[in-house]
mmCIF file of all heavy atoms in Angstrom:
data_model
loop_
_atom_site.group_PDB
_atom_site.id
_atom_site.type_symbol
_atom_site.label_atom_id
_atom_site.label_comp_id
_atom_site.label_asym_id
_atom_site.label_seq_id
_atom_site.Cartn_x
_atom_site.Cartn_y
_atom_site.Cartn_z
ATOM 1 N N ALA T 642 -59.603 20.439 10.573
ATOM 2 C CA ALA T 642 -59.300 19.986 9.249
ATOM 3 C C ALA T 642 -58.949 18.454 9.285
ATOM 4 O O ALA T 642 -58.342 17.983 10.246
ATOM 5 C CB ALA T 642 -58.142 20.761 8.687
ATOM 6 N N MET T 643 -59.363 17.752 8.235
ATOM 7 C CA MET T 643 -59.001 16.329 8.167
ATOM 8 C C MET T 643 -57.571 16.199 7.795
ATOM 9 O O MET T 643 -57.046 16.943 6.998
ATOM 10 C CB MET T 643 -59.886 15.677 7.140
ATOM 11 C CG MET T 643 -61.347 15.507 7.521
ATOM 12 S SD MET T 643 -62.294 14.826 6.130
ATOM 13 C CE MET T 643 -62.059 13.119 6.403
ATOM 14 N N LEU T 644 -56.927 15.177 8.365
ATOM 15 C CA LEU T 644 -55.543 14.888 7.981
ATOM 16 C C LEU T 644 -55.499 14.247 6.682
ATOM 17 O O LEU T 644 -56.230 13.297 6.363
ATOM 18 C CB LEU T 644 -54.951 13.939 9.039
ATOM 19 C CG LEU T 644 -54.341 14.518 10.328
ATOM 20 C CD1 LEU T 644 -53.671 13.394 11.102
ATOM 21 C CD2 LEU T 644 -53.306 15.553 9.986
ATOM 22 N N ARG T 645 -54.561 14.799 5.793
ATOM 23 C CA ARG T 645 -54.457 14.226 4.437
ATOM 24 C C ARG T 645 -53.462 13.105 4.456
ATOM 25 O O ARG T 645 -52.360 13.246 4.989
ATOM 26 C CB ARG T 645 -54.097 15.339 3.497
ATOM 27 C CG ARG T 645 -55.293 16.280 3.288
ATOM 28 C CD ARG T 645 -55.224 17.051 1.988
ATOM 29 N NE ARG T 645 -53.847 17.443 1.613
ATOM 30 C CZ ARG T 645 -53.218 18.470 2.237
ATOM 31 N NH1 ARG T 645 -53.806 19.151 3.183
ATOM 32 N NH2 ARG T 645 -51.985 18.814 1.904
ATOM 33 N N LEU T 646 -53.829 12.050 3.832
ATOM 34 C CA LEU T 646 -52.975 10.866 3.752
ATOM 35 C C LEU T 646 -52.952 10.388 2.278
ATOM 36 O O LEU T 646 -53.954 10.422 1.606
ATOM 37 C CB LEU T 646 -53.589 9.793 4.651
ATOM 38 C CG LEU T 646 -52.849 8.448 4.747
ATOM 39 C CD1 LEU T 646 -53.157 7.833 6.102
ATOM 40 C CD2 LEU T 646 -53.313 7.490 3.657
ATOM 41 N N MET T 647 -51.746 10.044 1.812
ATOM 42 C CA MET T 647 -51.688 9.571 0.415
ATOM 43 C C MET T 647 -51.185 8.061 0.411
ATOM 44 O O MET T 647 -50.191 7.768 1.062
ATOM 45 C CB MET T 647 -50.740 10.416 -0.427
ATOM 46 C CG MET T 647 -50.794 10.020 -1.937
ATOM 47 S SD MET T 647 -49.524 10.849 -2.905
ATOM 48 C CE MET T 647 -50.123 12.528 -2.822
ATOM 49 N N ILE T 648 -51.924 7.256 -0.386
ATOM 50 C CA ILE T 648 -51.514 5.863 -0.560
ATOM 51 C C ILE T 648 -50.860 5.796 -1.986
ATOM 52 O O ILE T 648 -51.536 6.122 -2.930
ATOM 53 C CB ILE T 648 -52.692 4.916 -0.506
ATOM 54 C CG1 ILE T 648 -53.404 4.989 0.867
ATOM 55 C CG2 ILE T 648 -52.238 3.461 -0.790
ATOM 56 C CD1 ILE T 648 -54.639 4.111 0.923
ATOM 57 N N VAL T 649 -49.613 5.361 -1.977
ATOM 58 C CA VAL T 649 -48.958 5.200 -3.263
ATOM 59 C C VAL T 649 -48.691 3.740 -3.503
ATOM 60 O O VAL T 649 -47.875 3.171 -2.869
ATOM 61 C CB VAL T 649 -47.596 5.969 -3.290
ATOM 62 C CG1 VAL T 649 -47.026 5.995 -4.672
ATOM 63 C CG2 VAL T 649 -47.795 7.394 -2.814
ATOM 64 N N ASP T 650 -49.462 3.136 -4.435
ATOM 65 C CA ASP T 650 -49.352 1.780 -4.686
ATOM 66 C C ASP T 650 -49.835 1.456 -6.079
ATOM 67 O O ASP T 650 -50.751 2.077 -6.577
ATOM 68 C CB ASP T 650 -50.220 0.979 -3.664
ATOM 69 C CG ASP T 650 -49.873 -0.473 -3.577
ATOM 70 O OD1 ASP T 650 -50.028 -1.211 -4.580
ATOM 71 O OD2 ASP T 650 -49.444 -0.943 -2.489
ATOM 72 N N GLY T 651 -49.120 0.560 -6.784
ATOM 73 C CA GLY T 651 -49.477 0.219 -8.146
ATOM 74 C C GLY T 651 -50.743 -0.557 -8.303
ATOM 75 O O GLY T 651 -51.349 -0.628 -9.338
ATOM 76 N N SER T 652 -51.238 -1.119 -7.165
ATOM 77 C CA SER T 652 -52.417 -1.941 -7.219
ATOM 78 C C SER T 652 -53.698 -1.170 -6.880
ATOM 79 O O SER T 652 -53.822 -0.546 -5.832
ATOM 80 C CB SER T 652 -52.307 -3.121 -6.224
ATOM 81 O OG SER T 652 -53.558 -3.619 -5.832
ATOM 82 N N ASP T 653 -54.631 -1.187 -7.813
ATOM 83 C CA ASP T 653 -55.936 -0.500 -7.605
ATOM 84 C C ASP T 653 -56.625 -1.065 -6.314
ATOM 85 O O ASP T 653 -57.215 -0.328 -5.569
ATOM 86 C CB ASP T 653 -56.834 -0.737 -8.781
ATOM 87 C CG ASP T 653 -56.333 -0.035 -10.065
ATOM 88 O OD1 ASP T 653 -55.393 0.811 -9.899
ATOM 89 O OD2 ASP T 653 -56.800 -0.326 -11.119
ATOM 90 N N ILE T 654 -56.601 -2.342 -6.192
ATOM 91 C CA ILE T 654 -57.253 -3.048 -5.064
ATOM 92 C C ILE T 654 -56.663 -2.611 -3.732
ATOM 93 O O ILE T 654 -57.418 -2.171 -2.813
ATOM 94 C CB ILE T 654 -57.103 -4.572 -5.127
ATOM 95 C CG1 ILE T 654 -57.509 -5.098 -6.507
ATOM 96 C CG2 ILE T 654 -57.807 -5.252 -3.982
ATOM 97 C CD1 ILE T 654 -58.866 -5.669 -6.696
ATOM 98 N N VAL T 655 -55.356 -2.586 -3.645
ATOM 99 C CA VAL T 655 -54.696 -2.116 -2.391
ATOM 100 C C VAL T 655 -55.129 -0.683 -2.097
ATOM 101 O O VAL T 655 -55.475 -0.343 -0.935
ATOM 102 C CB VAL T 655 -53.147 -2.210 -2.516
ATOM 103 C CG1 VAL T 655 -52.492 -1.538 -1.326
ATOM 104 C CG2 VAL T 655 -52.745 -3.687 -2.612
ATOM 105 N N ARG T 656 -55.087 0.195 -3.097
ATOM 106 C CA ARG T 656 -55.470 1.576 -2.866
ATOM 107 C C ARG T 656 -56.944 1.686 -2.428
ATOM 108 O O ARG T 656 -57.295 2.435 -1.545
ATOM 109 C CB ARG T 656 -55.226 2.448 -4.080
ATOM 110 C CG ARG T 656 -53.708 2.607 -4.406
ATOM 111 C CD ARG T 656 -53.444 3.749 -5.395
ATOM 112 N NE ARG T 656 -54.396 3.799 -6.518
ATOM 113 C CZ ARG T 656 -54.253 3.171 -7.628
ATOM 114 N NH1 ARG T 656 -53.132 2.336 -7.820
ATOM 115 N NH2 ARG T 656 -55.146 3.229 -8.611
ATOM 116 N N LYS T 657 -57.785 0.913 -3.064
ATOM 117 C CA LYS T 657 -59.214 0.963 -2.819
ATOM 118 C C LYS T 657 -59.528 0.512 -1.398
ATOM 119 O O LYS T 657 -60.260 1.164 -0.663
ATOM 120 C CB LYS T 657 -59.998 0.102 -3.815
ATOM 121 C CG LYS T 657 -61.414 0.420 -3.968
ATOM 122 C CD LYS T 657 -62.049 -0.354 -5.142
ATOM 123 C CE LYS T 657 -61.790 0.419 -6.448
ATOM 124 N NZ LYS T 657 -61.706 -0.334 -7.672
ATOM 125 N N VAL T 658 -58.922 -0.620 -0.973
ATOM 126 C CA VAL T 658 -59.143 -1.119 0.343
ATOM 127 C C VAL T 658 -58.590 -0.159 1.420
ATOM 128 O O VAL T 658 -59.252 0.195 2.388
ATOM 129 C CB VAL T 658 -58.465 -2.473 0.544
ATOM 130 C CG1 VAL T 658 -58.438 -2.941 1.975
ATOM 131 C CG2 VAL T 658 -59.185 -3.555 -0.314
ATOM 132 N N GLY T 659 -57.357 0.322 1.155
ATOM 133 C CA GLY T 659 -56.754 1.276 2.102
ATOM 134 C C GLY T 659 -57.547 2.533 2.206
ATOM 135 O O GLY T 659 -57.758 3.050 3.263
ATOM 136 N N LYS T 660 -58.006 3.038 1.089
ATOM 137 C CA LYS T 660 -58.817 4.268 1.087
ATOM 138 C C LYS T 660 -60.087 4.117 1.878
ATOM 139 O O LYS T 660 -60.452 4.990 2.662
ATOM 140 C CB LYS T 660 -59.133 4.686 -0.361
ATOM 141 C CG LYS T 660 -59.869 5.985 -0.404
ATOM 142 C CD LYS T 660 -60.010 6.520 -1.845
ATOM 143 C CE LYS T 660 -60.580 7.921 -1.838
ATOM 144 N NZ LYS T 660 -60.433 8.615 -3.065
ATOM 145 N N ARG T 661 -60.788 2.970 1.686
ATOM 146 C CA ARG T 661 -62.038 2.771 2.374
ATOM 147 C C ARG T 661 -61.839 2.759 3.911
ATOM 148 O O ARG T 661 -62.495 3.439 4.599
ATOM 149 C CB ARG T 661 -62.686 1.469 1.881
ATOM 150 C CG ARG T 661 -64.104 1.341 2.418
ATOM 151 C CD ARG T 661 -64.864 0.134 1.839
ATOM 152 N NE ARG T 661 -64.203 -1.111 2.313
ATOM 153 C CZ ARG T 661 -63.734 -2.074 1.548
ATOM 154 N NH1 ARG T 661 -63.845 -1.928 0.194
ATOM 155 N NH2 ARG T 661 -63.193 -3.132 2.030
ATOM 156 N N ILE T 662 -60.901 1.949 4.339
ATOM 157 C CA ILE T 662 -60.605 1.806 5.781
ATOM 158 C C ILE T 662 -60.120 3.164 6.371
ATOM 159 O O ILE T 662 -60.652 3.611 7.410
ATOM 160 C CB ILE T 662 -59.579 0.702 6.047
ATOM 161 C CG1 ILE T 662 -60.144 -0.628 5.623
ATOM 162 C CG2 ILE T 662 -59.232 0.687 7.499
ATOM 163 C CD1 ILE T 662 -59.126 -1.748 5.576
ATOM 164 N N LEU T 663 -59.155 3.800 5.691
ATOM 165 C CA LEU T 663 -58.576 5.000 6.268
ATOM 166 C C LEU T 663 -59.605 6.132 6.268
ATOM 167 O O LEU T 663 -59.580 7.045 7.127
ATOM 168 C CB LEU T 663 -57.317 5.382 5.531
ATOM 169 C CG LEU T 663 -56.145 4.373 5.842
ATOM 170 C CD1 LEU T 663 -55.065 4.450 4.829
ATOM 171 C CD2 LEU T 663 -55.578 4.692 7.248
ATOM 172 N N SER T 664 -60.424 6.176 5.247
ATOM 173 C CA SER T 664 -61.522 7.194 5.211
ATOM 174 C C SER T 664 -62.421 7.065 6.423
ATOM 175 O O SER T 664 -62.857 8.042 7.028
ATOM 176 C CB SER T 664 -62.324 7.109 3.900
ATOM 177 O OG SER T 664 -61.498 7.403 2.827
ATOM 178 N N GLU T 665 -62.768 5.783 6.718
ATOM 179 C CA GLU T 665 -63.624 5.543 7.884
ATOM 180 C C GLU T 665 -62.950 5.941 9.157
ATOM 181 O O GLU T 665 -63.610 6.295 10.139
ATOM 182 C CB GLU T 665 -63.967 4.009 7.942
ATOM 183 C CG GLU T 665 -65.015 3.642 6.862
ATOM 184 C CD GLU T 665 -65.166 2.110 6.765
ATOM 185 O OE1 GLU T 665 -64.672 1.376 7.642
ATOM 186 O OE2 GLU T 665 -65.752 1.658 5.749
ATOM 187 N N LEU T 666 -61.586 5.875 9.193
ATOM 188 C CA LEU T 666 -60.830 6.318 10.357
ATOM 189 C C LEU T 666 -60.722 7.827 10.484
ATOM 190 O O LEU T 666 -60.216 8.373 11.428
ATOM 191 C CB LEU T 666 -59.428 5.727 10.386
ATOM 192 C CG LEU T 666 -59.281 4.233 10.649
ATOM 193 C CD1 LEU T 666 -57.866 3.800 10.484
ATOM 194 C CD2 LEU T 666 -59.827 3.843 12.044
ATOM 195 N N GLY T 667 -61.226 8.519 9.412
ATOM 196 C CA GLY T 667 -61.267 10.015 9.486
ATOM 197 C C GLY T 667 -60.249 10.727 8.641
ATOM 198 O O GLY T 667 -60.064 11.926 8.880
ATOM 199 N N TYR T 668 -59.545 10.060 7.785
ATOM 200 C CA TYR T 668 -58.547 10.654 6.962
ATOM 201 C C TYR T 668 -59.151 11.143 5.668
ATOM 202 O O TYR T 668 -60.111 10.539 5.177
ATOM 203 C CB TYR T 668 -57.363 9.699 6.644
ATOM 204 C CG TYR T 668 -56.460 9.426 7.784
ATOM 205 C CD1 TYR T 668 -56.729 8.371 8.653
ATOM 206 C CD2 TYR T 668 -55.435 10.300 8.109
ATOM 207 C CE1 TYR T 668 -55.926 8.091 9.746
ATOM 208 C CE2 TYR T 668 -54.633 10.011 9.210
ATOM 209 C CZ TYR T 668 -54.873 8.918 10.026
ATOM 210 O OH TYR T 668 -54.067 8.716 11.058
ATOM 211 N N LEU T 669 -58.537 12.123 5.078
ATOM 212 C CA LEU T 669 -58.876 12.537 3.718
ATOM 213 C C LEU T 669 -57.808 11.796 2.892
ATOM 214 O O LEU T 669 -56.622 12.147 2.967
ATOM 215 C CB LEU T 669 -58.724 14.062 3.596
ATOM 216 C CG LEU T 669 -59.042 14.647 2.209
ATOM 217 C CD1 LEU T 669 -60.543 14.364 1.899
ATOM 218 C CD2 LEU T 669 -58.784 16.104 2.198
ATOM 219 N N VAL T 670 -58.204 10.825 2.135
ATOM 220 C CA VAL T 670 -57.246 9.955 1.408
ATOM 221 C C VAL T 670 -57.091 10.277 0.006
ATOM 222 O O VAL T 670 -58.039 10.420 -0.745
ATOM 223 C CB VAL T 670 -57.708 8.443 1.582
ATOM 224 C CG1 VAL T 670 -56.640 7.515 0.919
ATOM 225 C CG2 VAL T 670 -57.869 8.065 3.056
ATOM 226 N N MET T 671 -55.859 10.499 -0.414
ATOM 227 C CA MET T 671 -55.515 10.689 -1.820
ATOM 228 C C MET T 671 -54.802 9.448 -2.290
ATOM 229 O O MET T 671 -54.239 8.700 -1.503
ATOM 230 C CB MET T 671 -54.572 11.935 -1.965
ATOM 231 C CG MET T 671 -55.145 13.167 -1.303
ATOM 232 S SD MET T 671 -54.084 14.628 -1.609
ATOM 233 C CE MET T 671 -52.679 14.277 -0.574
ATOM 234 N N GLU T 672 -54.821 9.248 -3.628
ATOM 235 C CA GLU T 672 -54.165 8.073 -4.152
ATOM 236 C C GLU T 672 -53.207 8.423 -5.273
ATOM 237 O O GLU T 672 -53.441 9.436 -5.969
ATOM 238 C CB GLU T 672 -55.199 7.116 -4.812
ATOM 239 C CG GLU T 672 -56.299 6.626 -3.876
ATOM 240 C CD GLU T 672 -57.339 5.768 -4.623
ATOM 241 O OE1 GLU T 672 -56.866 4.853 -5.343
ATOM 242 O OE2 GLU T 672 -58.512 6.080 -4.520
ATOM 243 N N ALA T 673 -52.195 7.620 -5.451
ATOM 244 C CA ALA T 673 -51.321 7.745 -6.599
ATOM 245 C C ALA T 673 -50.910 6.315 -6.986
ATOM 246 O O ALA T 673 -50.658 5.490 -6.136
ATOM 247 C CB ALA T 673 -50.077 8.553 -6.257
ATOM 248 N N SER T 674 -50.842 6.022 -8.288
ATOM 249 C CA SER T 674 -50.543 4.670 -8.719
ATOM 250 C C SER T 674 -49.050 4.497 -9.146
ATOM 251 O O SER T 674 -48.643 3.418 -9.497
ATOM 252 C CB SER T 674 -51.440 4.275 -9.877
ATOM 253 O OG SER T 674 -51.286 5.230 -10.953
ATOM 254 N N SER T 675 -48.318 5.594 -9.057
ATOM 255 C CA SER T 675 -46.901 5.528 -9.414
ATOM 256 C C SER T 675 -46.111 6.592 -8.624
ATOM 257 O O SER T 675 -46.743 7.528 -8.153
ATOM 258 C CB SER T 675 -46.689 5.786 -10.927
ATOM 259 O OG SER T 675 -46.952 7.143 -11.190
ATOM 260 N N ALA T 676 -44.803 6.353 -8.532
ATOM 261 C CA ALA T 676 -43.987 7.255 -7.786
ATOM 262 C C ALA T 676 -44.009 8.664 -8.450
ATOM 263 O O ALA T 676 -44.043 9.693 -7.781
ATOM 264 C CB ALA T 676 -42.556 6.743 -7.709
ATOM 265 N N ARG T 677 -44.040 8.686 -9.755
ATOM 266 C CA ARG T 677 -44.020 9.908 -10.527
ATOM 267 C C ARG T 677 -45.294 10.740 -10.208
ATOM 268 O O ARG T 677 -45.237 11.926 -9.974
ATOM 269 C CB ARG T 677 -43.875 9.702 -12.001
ATOM 270 C CG ARG T 677 -43.717 11.014 -12.784
ATOM 271 C CD ARG T 677 -43.458 10.764 -14.249
ATOM 272 N NE ARG T 677 -42.224 10.103 -14.484
ATOM 273 C CZ ARG T 677 -42.048 8.914 -15.160
ATOM 274 N NH1 ARG T 677 -43.152 8.342 -15.624
ATOM 275 N NH2 ARG T 677 -40.888 8.382 -15.338
ATOM 276 N N GLU T 678 -46.457 10.064 -10.283
ATOM 277 C CA GLU T 678 -47.724 10.684 -10.019
ATOM 278 C C GLU T 678 -47.750 11.224 -8.535
ATOM 279 O O GLU T 678 -48.243 12.310 -8.293
ATOM 280 C CB GLU T 678 -48.889 9.668 -10.179
ATOM 281 C CG GLU T 678 -50.266 10.306 -9.910
ATOM 282 C CD GLU T 678 -51.354 9.255 -9.943
ATOM 283 O OE1 GLU T 678 -51.106 8.057 -10.192
ATOM 284 O OE2 GLU T 678 -52.492 9.615 -9.563
ATOM 285 N N ALA T 679 -47.177 10.440 -7.656
ATOM 286 C CA ALA T 679 -47.144 10.823 -6.205
ATOM 287 C C ALA T 679 -46.353 12.063 -5.969
ATOM 288 O O ALA T 679 -46.795 12.960 -5.233
ATOM 289 C CB ALA T 679 -46.604 9.662 -5.348
ATOM 290 N N ILE T 680 -45.203 12.184 -6.585
ATOM 291 C CA ILE T 680 -44.359 13.355 -6.306
ATOM 292 C C ILE T 680 -45.033 14.632 -6.905
ATOM 293 O O ILE T 680 -44.968 15.708 -6.246
ATOM 294 C CB ILE T 680 -42.867 13.175 -6.820
ATOM 295 C CG1 ILE T 680 -41.987 14.300 -6.229
ATOM 296 C CG2 ILE T 680 -42.768 13.160 -8.325
ATOM 297 C CD1 ILE T 680 -41.772 14.267 -4.724
ATOM 298 N N VAL T 681 -45.639 14.480 -8.054
ATOM 299 C CA VAL T 681 -46.365 15.646 -8.634
ATOM 300 C C VAL T 681 -47.494 16.097 -7.665
ATOM 301 O O VAL T 681 -47.656 17.286 -7.437
ATOM 302 C CB VAL T 681 -46.945 15.273 -10.044
ATOM 303 C CG1 VAL T 681 -47.923 16.319 -10.492
ATOM 304 C CG2 VAL T 681 -45.854 15.059 -11.059
ATOM 305 N N ARG T 682 -48.186 15.125 -7.134
ATOM 306 C CA ARG T 682 -49.287 15.449 -6.211
ATOM 307 C C ARG T 682 -48.795 16.039 -4.894
ATOM 308 O O ARG T 682 -49.381 16.884 -4.335
ATOM 309 C CB ARG T 682 -50.183 14.230 -5.970
ATOM 310 C CG ARG T 682 -50.669 13.591 -7.242
ATOM 311 C CD ARG T 682 -51.745 12.587 -7.015
ATOM 312 N NE ARG T 682 -52.989 13.276 -7.317
ATOM 313 C CZ ARG T 682 -54.219 12.803 -6.969
ATOM 314 N NH1 ARG T 682 -54.327 11.687 -6.303
ATOM 315 N NH2 ARG T 682 -55.266 13.417 -7.299
ATOM 316 N N CYS T 683 -47.632 15.512 -4.478
ATOM 317 C CA CYS T 683 -47.095 16.009 -3.196
ATOM 318 C C CYS T 683 -46.531 17.434 -3.369
ATOM 319 O O CYS T 683 -46.638 18.250 -2.467
ATOM 320 C CB CYS T 683 -45.916 15.065 -2.732
ATOM 321 S SG CYS T 683 -46.498 13.558 -1.969
ATOM 322 N N GLU T 684 -45.996 17.699 -4.585
ATOM 323 C CA GLU T 684 -45.511 19.062 -4.798
ATOM 324 C C GLU T 684 -46.715 20.074 -4.780
ATOM 325 O O GLU T 684 -46.554 21.191 -4.345
ATOM 326 C CB GLU T 684 -44.838 19.140 -6.160
ATOM 327 C CG GLU T 684 -43.422 18.553 -6.140
ATOM 328 C CD GLU T 684 -42.777 18.383 -7.502
ATOM 329 O OE1 GLU T 684 -43.455 18.550 -8.565
ATOM 330 O OE2 GLU T 684 -41.594 17.953 -7.547
ATOM 331 N N ALA T 685 -47.856 19.605 -5.253
ATOM 332 C CA ALA T 685 -49.018 20.517 -5.335
ATOM 333 C C ALA T 685 -49.673 20.587 -3.950
ATOM 334 O O ALA T 685 -50.228 21.665 -3.542
ATOM 335 C CB ALA T 685 -50.026 19.921 -6.387
ATOM 336 N N ASP T 686 -49.671 19.501 -3.227
ATOM 337 C CA ASP T 686 -50.428 19.436 -1.985
ATOM 338 C C ASP T 686 -49.844 18.327 -1.086
ATOM 339 O O ASP T 686 -50.197 17.165 -1.228
ATOM 340 C CB ASP T 686 -51.915 19.064 -2.335
ATOM 341 C CG ASP T 686 -52.909 19.427 -1.262
ATOM 342 O OD1 ASP T 686 -52.468 19.949 -0.182
ATOM 343 O OD2 ASP T 686 -54.115 19.235 -1.453
ATOM 344 N N LEU T 687 -49.001 18.752 -0.163
ATOM 345 C CA LEU T 687 -48.304 17.786 0.654
ATOM 346 C C LEU T 687 -49.212 17.138 1.665
ATOM 347 O O LEU T 687 -49.813 17.816 2.444
ATOM 348 C CB LEU T 687 -47.078 18.507 1.335
ATOM 349 C CG LEU T 687 -45.966 17.672 1.820
ATOM 350 C CD1 LEU T 687 -45.246 16.937 0.673
ATOM 351 C CD2 LEU T 687 -44.931 18.571 2.543
ATOM 352 N N PRO T 688 -49.255 15.763 1.711
ATOM 353 C CA PRO T 688 -50.068 15.114 2.734
ATOM 354 C C PRO T 688 -49.304 15.073 4.039
ATOM 355 O O PRO T 688 -48.083 15.312 4.083
ATOM 356 C CB PRO T 688 -50.246 13.703 2.166
ATOM 357 C CG PRO T 688 -49.034 13.450 1.374
ATOM 358 C CD PRO T 688 -48.638 14.832 0.768
ATOM 359 N N LYS T 689 -50.050 14.809 5.154
ATOM 360 C CA LYS T 689 -49.379 14.662 6.476
ATOM 361 C C LYS T 689 -48.702 13.276 6.543
ATOM 362 O O LYS T 689 -47.770 13.107 7.255
ATOM 363 C CB LYS T 689 -50.412 14.762 7.601
ATOM 364 C CG LYS T 689 -50.675 16.112 8.171
ATOM 365 C CD LYS T 689 -49.474 17.036 8.339
ATOM 366 C CE LYS T 689 -48.682 16.906 9.595
ATOM 367 N NZ LYS T 689 -47.441 17.850 9.537
#
């Protein structure tokens, strides 16, 4: 199984760059643009 990783950052660019690089490193990358969005997603599906 791929390791799930979440990037929580208000900047679309930061998330996009991080996602591209980390996906290439073999992670399954999720994104959240706010703390509130992140906690909801973590409650549903906790990343490593």
Side-chain angles (χ1 to χ4, degrees):
M643 287 175 87
L644 273 187
R645 291 203 319 285
L646 179 151
M647 186 186 295
I648 300 175
V649 188
D650 197 297
S652 157
D653 293 345
I654 307 261
V655 170
R656 292 196 316 273
K657 200 168 277 152
V658 169
K660 181 172 190 166
R661 190 174 66 235
I662 297 168
L663 290 161
S664 295
E665 286 168 14
L666 288 175
Y668 289 92
L669 182 62
V670 183
M671 307 185 289
E672 302 175 50
S674 59
S675 70
R677 186 175 296 123
E678 182 189 352
I680 193 66
V681 168
R682 305 192 102 194
C683 283
E684 283 168 354
D686 200 358
L687 202 60
K689 267 324 273 174

